[in-house]
Amino acid sequence: MFNSSHDRRSFADTIKTGSLSNEISTYRQNGGLTINHHTYGLSGSSDYQGLHSNHSQPSIDGQNKAYPDVSKTSYNYDLSGIGVNYGDNFYESKGNTDGSSSSSPGFVYVQTNAADGNQIVVYQRADDGKLSYLEKVSTGGRGSGGGIDPLQSESSLVLSEDQHFLFAVNSGSGTITSFATTPKGLVRVDQESTDGAFPTSIAVHGDLLYTLNASGNRNITGFHILKNGHLEHLNNSTRGVDGNNFDVGASTIGFSPDGKFIVVSERLANKFSVYKVNSDGTTDQPVTSPSVANNPFGLYFTPQGTLLSSEANTPQATVSSYSINSDGSLKPISSSVPTFAGGTCWVVTTGDGHIAISSNTPSNSLSSFLVSPSGELNYASTTSLPSGATPLDITTTHNSPYLYTLNAAAGSVSAFRVEDNGQINLIDTISEGLQGTSGLQGISAA
């Protein structure tokens, strides 16, 4: 996470425009932005290339030979419970029409965030939670590159609610890419401009998607998710996060489970902006509420509607829970519950919402909490990761007890089993397809 002395506007000052190549033949794992990550902040300078300010990055028009833009070809998507026709291959749709999971294998997706060609690394998940490497798929855009935690966000790689589609930010290109998910991997569907610079986080509810642009004219912007996975810009959906008066350190965006509110965490301003969602998918101007502790970073909703926020304090980090009032203001439920670790930046829950887990990056650990029906948090345990892992993003599966961590320094993914009492037990670690300290950011599990 950035410390309060870091001004993200320095990125926008070094914007250099460029065009996306239709063919990315090589990937330099350490190219682009390099940032030194310290225990509670980032420092260093960069020759940061590829950021696009508002409207400067068009939608992709053309094809990548390995992963064509389906909208420009004769390929047909049929996700109505039958499958996907892609060239000469037929892929069964991963999800069912009612949104329930099918008998197809599970997957974990990791974003490389490489500056010269962003990719998604696909792992197949076995019944025992272990992973095996499947493939790498190009997003068609550029990431930020860098070292450890360059995006400073949670939810940069997210699945649709029915798990038919995967969405990834391309921070270096100012775009977002959508993929169709299949039992045989990913198929790239679309790429669209985010109407801003340095998109870092994505929120999805039903057929609505919002992205957070964290640099330049910092804003949130909405899209409709079409039935074929393409993204259609939502008119009049762009709203400023901070009026461009100063950098509030906008980190993460999320939908409430009922779709009535969008929340953005602002770590430098120590507050949240809550946007009420209208019937047409647009939002009102935000209502702001203070964070109960400094540096609110990640945010995550339980299925029951409780908002969780990780707070990257020193020397002891914390997690808090909130309810949302009808006017959009936040009411604290549990305030600053200690993780017994430092640098807590990411927080998720198990599929049923009964256990919350935080990732404590500099402490190289995970902490768990029992979540009551009313949203109260009670500390359960802290689990150490293998030495030198440096866990960033974390994700859980909806229908199994498994948790996965993206270990940025080690260049690996660790699999854990979450027990009913909150205990977290390591199952396995895989590193194939990843390179440590290369800007890795974003993980999602199906």
Side-chain angles (χ1 to χ4, degrees):
M1 67 243 104
F2 289 100
N3 61 31
S4 59
S5 64
H6 185 90
D7 189 343
R8 202 170 215 158
R9 287 171 293 184
S10 62
F11 292 151
D13 292 338
T14 57
I15 289 175
K16 297 180 180 180
T17 60
S19 62
L20 289 172
S21 172
N22 288 334
E23 297 182 44
I24 300 173
S25 59
T26 59
Y27 292 87
R28 301 189 310 274
Q29 292 294 331
N30 288 310
L33 176 65
T34 299
I35 300 179
N36 296 320
H37 185 274
H38 299 292
T39 303
Y40 299 104
L42 294 174
S43 64
S45 60
S46 64
D47 178 18
Y48 192 82
Q49 301 183 7
L51 279 179
H52 292 263
S53 58
N54 196 26
H55 299 295
S56 64
Q57 174 60 41
S59 302
I60 295 301
D61 185 14
Q63 301 177 30
N64 175 285
K65 285 186 176 179
Y67 301 98
D69 180 353
V70 177
S71 68
K72 304 300 185 290
T73 72
S74 60
Y75 304 139
N76 175 56
Y77 278 77
D78 179 7
L79 297 175
S80 59
I82 301 175
V84 179
N85 289 308
Y86 180 69
D88 296 327
N89 298 317
F90 178 81
Y91 294 150
E92 180 187 355
S93 177
K94 222 190 82 58
N96 296 326
T97 55
D98 62 0
S100 63
S101 54
S102 68
S103 59
S104 59
F107 293 88
V108 171
Y109 308 101
V110 174
Q111 183 168 237
T112 67
N113 188 39
D116 55 356
N118 192 14
Q119 294 177 295
I120 308 302
V121 184
V122 182
Y123 298 96
Q124 191 165 325
R125 176 172 59 86
D127 289 342
D128 61 2
K130 293 183 179 181
L131 302 180
S132 58
Y133 174 81
L134 184 61
E135 64 175 348
K136 279 187 179 180
V137 183
S138 169
T139 69
R142 297 187 301 277
S144 71
I148 305 295
D149 193 19
L151 298 185
Q152 301 286 285
S153 70
E154 186 169 357
S155 303
S156 60
L157 184 68
V158 301
L159 285 156
S160 60
E161 290 183 327
D162 60 11
Q163 300 190 356
H164 285 158
F165 302 107
L166 180 73
F167 306 98
V169 298
N170 301 303
S171 293
S173 301
T175 63
I176 186 170
T177 298
S178 60
F179 298 89
T181 62
T182 83
K184 294 186 178 180
L186 295 176
V187 179
R188 197 175 81 204
V189 177
D190 192 18
Q191 187 178 173
E192 297 292 338
S193 167
T194 62
D195 289 345
F198 207 73
T200 60
S201 185
I202 300 168
V204 172
H205 178 77
D207 66 350
L208 280 179
L209 180 150
Y210 268 80
T211 186
L212 173 64
N213 292 301
S215 190
N217 59 335
R218 295 173 287 273
N219 63 51
I220 65 170
T221 295
F223 299 83
H224 282 301
I225 305 170
L226 304 183
K227 290 183 178 180
N228 60 5
H230 284 256
L231 298 174
E232 180 180 74
H233 283 80
L234 178 60
N235 293 334
N236 196 34
S237 65
T238 299
R239 298 284 182 269
V241 172
D242 52 28
N244 294 317
N245 295 320
F246 69 100
D247 187 354
V248 297
S251 288
T252 303
I253 187 171
F255 264 106
S256 61
D258 58 12
K260 293 181 178 179
F261 298 99
I262 293 172
V263 182
V264 174
S265 60
E266 301 172 13
R267 65 184 182 281
L268 302 186
N270 297 320
K271 64 183 179 71
F272 300 92
S273 287
V274 181
Y275 302 78
K276 189 173 182 179
V277 180
N278 300 316
S279 59
D280 63 356
T282 63
T283 67
D284 293 336
Q285 294 300 320
V287 173
T288 62
S289 291
S291 171
V292 297
N294 290 334
N295 298 321
F297 186 94
L299 62 83
Y300 197 91
F301 279 94
T302 70
Q304 296 76 22
T306 299
L307 172 65
L308 305 179
S309 173
S310 55
E311 299 149 347
N313 302 316
T314 56
Q316 175 119 297
T318 53
V319 174
S320 296
S321 60
Y322 302 82
S323 61
I324 303 181
N325 297 318
S326 59
D327 63 355
S329 60
L330 298 183
K331 179 182 179 181
I333 301 173
S334 290
S335 298
S336 304
V337 180
T339 63
F340 297 98
T344 297
C345 296
W346 289 265
V347 61
V348 299
T349 72
T350 51
D352 59 11
H354 294 160
I355 299 173
I357 304 101
S358 70
S359 172
N360 315 311
T361 303
S363 302
N364 211 46
S365 66
L366 305 169
S367 296
S368 64
F369 305 83
L370 303 181
V371 185
S372 75
S374 60
E376 295 177 347
L377 301 176
N378 289 284
Y379 171 81
S381 69
T382 295
T383 301
S384 296
L385 271 75
S387 177
T390 312
L392 296 186
D393 300 38
I394 53 179
T395 187
T396 54
T397 55
H398 291 291
N399 57 358
S400 68
Y402 300 122
L403 165 77
Y404 298 91
T405 66
L406 173 55
N407 307 320
S412 64
V413 175
S414 291
F416 297 84
R417 181 182 175 91
V418 182
E419 306 298 340
D420 291 341
N421 62 359
Q423 186 67 38
I424 302 173
N425 297 315
L426 178 66
I427 298 172
D428 195 18
T429 296
I430 186 171
S431 59
E432 188 175 359
L434 300 176
Q435 180 174 334
T437 320
S438 63
L440 299 170
Q441 194 112 43
I443 187 171
S444 191

